[in-house]
Amino acid sequence: MLKQISVDTVKQAADLAYEAVADRQRFLAGMRNIDLGEQTSERGSRNPTDLDALSILSSDASGALSQLNQMLEDLTPEQRMELRAVMFVGRGDFAGNQWDRALDEAGRAPDATHYTDIAERIDLHRDLMKGLYELDLLKKKDGQ
């Protein structure tokens, strides 16, 4: 199924995203009464704010986010496309048996060869791990 990117690489991206979220939470814990300015609503979303993304962190504020961005930058466009397709399956846009459709959609994304839409996702860890599970690329642990 995955031809361009390994399961371990997807898991590494998920782990870095998890660490970046922890950095984000520590960063936000120190903030009080900040002015978010005018926030635009995305279609079908709940009152999103800039605080809903990892992009509020600078690379200096999160070593994990910096590593994630570097990792995504180093991937080939084809690898990023497969990573994005795993993310689509994990967030429920496609079922595990719809891999070809997810991959096709990942290639049609407006910035399919870039990575900023991936790196900014607050739920990236969950989406990637769930995607691997839905695609039967992760084994259940014994007793589960």
Side-chain angles (χ1 to χ4, degrees):
M1 182 167 305
L2 294 180
K3 295 179 181 166
Q4 301 295 322
I5 194 168
S6 70
V7 170
D8 287 338
T9 301
V10 175
K11 288 168 63 175
Q12 181 184 8
D15 290 344
L16 288 170
Y18 184 83
E19 292 175 34
V21 169
D23 290 343
R24 174 191 165 276
Q25 289 172 322
R26 283 189 291 277
F27 176 76
L28 291 177
M31 300 177 83
R32 296 175 192 244
N33 300 324
I34 60 170
D35 180 17
L36 296 177
E38 178 108 11
Q39 300 296 312
T40 58
S41 293
E42 295 176 11
R43 184 175 171 217
S45 66
R46 61 153 180 84
N47 303 325
T49 71
D50 289 335
L51 299 180
D52 289 335
L54 291 175
S55 61
I56 64 164
L57 293 172
S58 69
S59 295
D60 297 335
S62 174
L65 182 59
S66 178
Q67 289 176 358
L68 176 62
N69 280 319
Q70 186 62 53
M71 176 190 175
L72 295 173
E73 185 177 323
D74 291 344
L75 294 176
T76 66
E78 294 80 14
Q79 289 172 318
R80 283 193 290 271
M81 209 166 68
E82 283 192 356
L83 186 72
R84 187 176 284 107
V86 171
M87 182 182 75
F88 286 167
V89 171
R91 72 181 190 192
D93 295 348
F94 299 94
N97 62 358
Q98 297 176 313
W99 175 249
D100 291 335
R101 288 183 56 207
L103 195 56
D104 184 53
E105 183 65 26
R108 279 196 248 149
D111 53 358
T113 59
H114 294 44
Y115 62 90
T116 53
D117 65 313
I118 299 170
E120 293 179 356
R121 294 197 50 79
I122 195 74
D123 297 325
L124 182 60
H125 174 264
R126 182 201 66 201
D127 293 346
L128 291 177
M129 296 306 288
K130 186 176 178 187
L132 289 174
Y133 178 78
E134 292 294 324
L135 293 165
D136 289 327
L137 297 173
L138 284 183
K139 304 289 182 216
K140 288 185 178 182
K141 293 181 181 178
D142 294 334
Q144 289 187 350

